[in-house]
Amino acid sequence: MLSDMTIRLPVPQDLCALAAVQRGLVSAEQCERAGVGADRRRRLVKSGAWSRPTHGVFDTDPQSAARTGPRERRERATWGGLLAYGPDAIAVGCSALALLGNRGLPTSIRPEVALPRGDRRRPRAGILVRQYSEMETRPVGGRRVASPIWALAQAIPGLGRDHAVAVLDSALNRRHITEQELHQVAELMRGRRGAATARTWFRLVDGRAESAPETFARLRCHDAGVLPDDLQVVVRDSQRRFLGRGDLGWWVDRDRWLLAEIDGREFHARPAALLEDRRRQNRLVTRGRANVLRFAPEDTLPGGILVSDVRAALAALRDDAAA
């Protein structure tokens, strides 16, 4: 029987390094290779130092979920699916996109894995098991994931419009796919449940969006009939010197813009970013080239204030310009 001292022995460094790559998760097989046997794993779980989210998978830091953001939680869910089904499992759909670094996914995703042809193991612990006769893959973190084109074709039909467009925007913006490959994604979707509807959303895709909230903002404006005249609007002074750039822009008159800035928490919450945001806004306003509205990500969701504020600002500015 193992003593408490044995439980407190340091976890081997190579297993810790592996867990760091896999968002804190390790498989029973990986533990065995590192010298952490079944008895010690049981005691680590019993003591609360580890947990076991599903059969054959161990969480080496059970408290970390409360400290992480949506991106980390999506990746953690994906790793749980891969480890649960062994080294031959391939991340597909939203799970593949999560590991590829694609933005725009829902806050929570269901792990999706594909198994070799003929392997019909049942889904468990909320993990969706798929089978594909052919599929391009690439390595990520020592495992195989569906290539961006295939992952998008697998994921998009199952997403709602807003997240589907945001995911496609991100894939283009981050150069995971090209404009030509976007058409390949649409073709690969043919025959999948929900694909016919999802294909109609492709006309809304614009790779200039740099974040999901920017995509959501554009979609709110599209739905309300106040589409921006341009995205990533560069504003210069009369000497052609750069003053700033806005995420979405509407012409007030031929010399002046109304700009909307979407302040994503990932970047704009940092003190240096906040300082630069203020300076940029001051340059744009004081030099007479633009009016700027600033929005938080929640303002871009259905029912948010973005559309009403844009409408009101455009009406007031255009009335002033016409006076």
Side-chain angles (χ1 to χ4, degrees):
M1 182 176 293
L2 296 181
S3 66
D4 289 342
M5 181 62 73
T6 304
I7 296 173
R8 291 194 294 270
L9 285 173
V11 174
Q13 188 59 43
D14 56 347
L15 189 62
C16 290
L18 192 57
V21 172
Q22 299 171 174
R23 290 296 178 190
L25 303 180
V26 291
S27 69
E29 181 182 354
Q30 290 170 338
C31 290
E32 290 289 343
R33 289 201 302 266
V36 180
D39 285 343
R40 188 176 178 198
R41 296 197 298 272
R42 279 194 293 270
R43 287 180 172 269
L44 285 164
V45 171
K46 187 176 181 180
S47 72
W50 284 15
S51 67
R52 189 174 69 173
T54 188
H55 178 74
V57 180
F58 296 89
D59 186 346
T60 65
D61 187 6
Q63 305 306 315
S64 66
R67 305 190 299 268
T68 57
R71 178 174 63 85
E72 291 81 5
R73 292 196 293 272
R74 289 189 292 263
E75 292 179 4
R76 186 182 181 86
T78 296
W79 277 109
L82 288 171
L83 295 172
Y85 283 93
D88 292 332
I90 301 168
V92 297
C94 289
S95 286
L97 294 174
L99 291 188
L100 289 167
N102 211 107
R103 297 172 179 170
L105 291 165
T107 300
S108 298
I109 61 171
R110 184 180 181 184
E112 296 179 68
V113 300
L115 298 173
R117 192 181 184 91
D119 191 330
R120 299 186 179 277
R121 279 179 282 178
R122 292 177 177 272
R124 54 187 167 89
I127 303 164
L128 185 61
V129 180
R130 298 188 181 277
Q131 293 173 327
Y132 295 100
S133 58
E134 65 170 319
M135 175 174 53
E136 296 174 358
T137 66
R138 63 174 55 179
V140 174
R143 298 298 294 259
R144 304 300 301 182
V145 309
S147 70
I149 295 174
W150 276 88
L152 289 165
Q154 294 156 355
I156 294 301
L159 294 173
R161 184 202 67 171
D162 288 7
H163 286 292
V165 176
V167 163
L168 291 167
D169 281 0
S170 175
L172 286 171
N173 182 266
R174 297 171 74 82
R175 294 181 172 81
H176 292 168
I177 63 170
T178 64
E179 290 281 354
Q180 182 59 41
E181 288 169 334
L182 185 65
H183 299 294
Q184 294 180 39
V185 172
E187 288 303 309
L188 280 175
M189 284 169 42
R190 286 187 182 277
R192 302 181 191 274
R193 180 181 298 178
T197 297
R199 282 164 60 91
T200 66
W201 303 332
F202 278 58
R203 60 186 173 82
L204 302 173
V205 174
D206 192 317
R208 292 176 294 172
E210 295 182 340
S211 70
E214 289 182 31
T215 297
F216 299 155
R218 190 178 77 248
L219 292 175
R220 298 288 80 74
C221 293
H222 168 273
D223 294 343
V226 286
L227 267 174
D229 294 306
D230 206 354
L231 305 181
Q232 308 305 329
V233 178
V234 173
V235 181
R236 302 182 185 276
D237 66 13
S238 56
Q239 281 74 50
R240 305 299 297 162
R241 289 174 298 197
F242 176 80
L243 295 178
R245 187 176 60 141
D247 298 327
L248 297 86
W250 294 260
W251 281 113
V252 175
D253 56 35
R254 68 182 184 86
D255 292 319
R256 191 172 187 83
W257 288 94
L258 172 66
L259 301 179
E261 281 277 273
I262 315 301
D263 296 336
R265 293 185 182 88
E266 183 177 358
F267 301 108
H268 295 272
R270 300 170 185 169
L274 286 171
L275 179 61
E276 177 53 31
D277 286 345
R278 286 195 293 269
R279 288 174 174 171
R280 183 176 68 252
Q281 180 166 330
N282 290 344
R283 288 195 302 267
L284 290 167
V285 174
T286 58
R287 299 186 192 182
R289 303 290 296 177
N291 286 79
V292 182
L293 298 177
R294 308 195 74 87
F295 297 100
E298 52 265 31
D299 298 331
T300 70
L301 300 177
I305 64 171
L306 183 138
V307 168
S308 60
D309 282 8
V310 167
R311 280 191 193 279
L314 277 175
L317 290 169
R318 286 170 177 167
D319 283 348
D320 287 346

